[in-house]
Amino acid sequence: MTLAATVFAPAYAKINLTLAVLGRRADGYHRLASVMQTISLHDTLRLRLASADRFDCDIAALATPDNLVTRAAEALRAEVGRPDLAAEIELHKAVPAQAGLGGGSSDAATTLVALNALWGLGLSLARLESLAARLGSDTPYLIHGGTARIEGRGEVVEPLPDAEPLWLVLVKPPVDISTPTIFRALTPADYGDAADTEAVIAAIRAGRPLPFDQLTNTLERGVLRAYPEVLGVRELLLNVGASLVIMSGSGPSLFAPYRTLGEAASLAERARAHGLNPWLCHSVTRAQVAASRAMQSASDQGNQM
Ligand code: C5P
């Protein structure tokens, strides 16, 4: 008996080190300037060659045919005109959904990369990126991850040198936020410029520490105004000693960046003592994401021998 090729693949979450909304486009999307960073918090996919599709997720509400994982598999099959290809995919969620952490987008990006290898399609990562753009604004970036400048509606990705490595205390306030609602509520008075994003990019390119006071998010003010739960968690983190708390994406997740484990662990412990449920995680470089992808093709070949 031969084992069908099987891979386990991590799908890393992202945070926005900066996020500037510059204006509204004619198609209803917004023009963004952002620096994104992958982090160690991740979902895990198991993908296996099969004669028929099967998809399961340990969060029952997400085990549906419109999950981005299923849609990514379908998009890849359509792209190469191979309706015969099939896979069994299991998704273990650790990244909260609708949290501003790119969880679903990363699941989709990881599915594209892993199935490209499992099905032996040999598509370039550039082609997977353009396929990914049809699945969500963050998805092309998450094909490579690491530190990157994001522009357009999110699909224009420029890889940057690795940002300063950081420990992160990450909290998801107990509220679900719909991204379209947050963007729709913006008025021209809310739009910002890309000055902080450019300053952060200049520091990254020069190999300098990140200017923490320029880690800013245009969407944060509106979310704090509209969702008292998010404001409450932010204030609690500041009250127990965080010096900086920033919202990721369209929220509600908040992160506090640290340069030493001691400081991060101490904040996480105090947050826990006050009833929060923080993750202590860290930034993940593009090379680490690539290494996790390379291991997928290695285990694929190992199984086929
Ligand atoms: O592309 P994605 O599905 O991630 O975006 C979700 C929603 O967020 C869009 O339908 C749109 O309402 C809003 N959005 C936006 N401008 C962006 C990205 C997202 O208005 N650049």
Side-chain angles (χ1 to χ4, degrees), residues 149-169:
R149 177 211 292 265
I150 307 299
E151 290 176 321
R153 70 173 169 92
E155 85 290 10
V156 181
V157 183
E158 181 196 354
L160 294 171
D162 295 327
E164 177 187 11
L166 294 172
W167 293 102
L168 301 159
V169 178

Side-chain angles (χ1 to χ4, degrees), residues 2-273:
T2 55
L3 283 175
T6 302
V7 296
F8 285 97
Y12 294 104
K14 61 81 183 165
I15 54 171
N16 299 76
L17 291 173
T18 68
L19 174 58
V21 182
L22 307 177
R24 194 166 175 279
R25 312 187 336 170
D27 63 4
Y29 279 88
H30 290 78
R31 285 190 299 120
L32 308 178
S34 178
V35 177
M36 287 199 196
Q37 174 66 54
T38 34
I39 63 172
S40 54
L41 179 66
H42 63 274
D43 293 339
T44 304
L45 289 132
R46 192 185 78 158
L47 307 100
R48 196 147 74 112
L49 285 180
S51 51
D53 274 346
R54 186 177 70 85
F55 174 61
D56 196 17
C57 177
D58 54 0
I59 298 202
L62 300 180
T64 60
D66 66 345
N67 189 294
L68 276 170
V69 164
T70 315
R71 288 171 46 203
E74 191 50 51
L76 189 55
R77 240 191 314 256
E79 177 78 3
V80 295
R82 290 281 307 275
D84 55 303
L85 295 171
E88 291 181 1
I89 307 178
E90 293 182 333
L91 170 62
H92 166 51
K93 287 298 290 183
V95 181
Q98 293 208 321
L101 298 172
S105 302
S106 192
D107 297 339
T110 304
T111 300
L112 290 176
V113 175
L115 286 181
N116 185 41
L118 263 187
W119 288 342
L121 301 177
L123 299 191
S124 68
L125 289 182
R127 198 154 154 210
L128 293 183
E129 267 191 62
S130 55
L131 198 50
R134 290 182 233 151
L135 298 166
S137 302
D138 293 342
T139 317
Y141 155 68
L142 287 157
I143 294 282
H144 292 276
T147 309
R149 177 211 292 265
I150 307 299
E151 290 176 321
R153 70 173 169 92
E155 85 290 10
V156 181
V157 183
E158 181 196 354
L160 294 171
D162 295 327
E164 177 187 11
L166 294 172
W167 293 102
L168 301 159
V169 178
L170 182 69
V171 179
K172 184 197 172 262
V175 56
D176 289 330
I177 291 188
S178 124
T179 302
T181 308
I182 297 304
F183 274 104
R184 260 200 309 269
L186 291 175
T187 67
D190 296 314
Y191 300 147
D193 63 33
D196 284 345
T197 295
E198 293 306 332
V200 166
I201 289 172
I204 290 170
R205 288 199 189 285
R208 290 198 307 265
L210 287 171
F212 276 7
D213 57 339
Q214 284 170 304
L215 304 184
T216 54
N217 181 339
T218 305
L219 296 175
E220 184 175 305
R221 196 173 354 149
V223 170
L224 293 177
R225 220 176 10 230
Y227 296 89
E229 300 90 337
V230 186
L231 185 65
V233 170
R234 181 174 185 276
E235 286 183 345
L236 202 160
L237 286 169
L238 292 169
N239 287 340
V240 299
S243 37
L244 180 65
V245 178
I246 307 144
M247 190 177 84
S248 181
S250 58
S253 297
L254 302 170
F255 65 93
Y258 284 97
R259 298 195 162 102
T260 67
L261 175 60
E263 291 168 294
S266 156
L267 177 71
E269 191 181 318
R270 276 173 279 139
R272 230 171 261 126

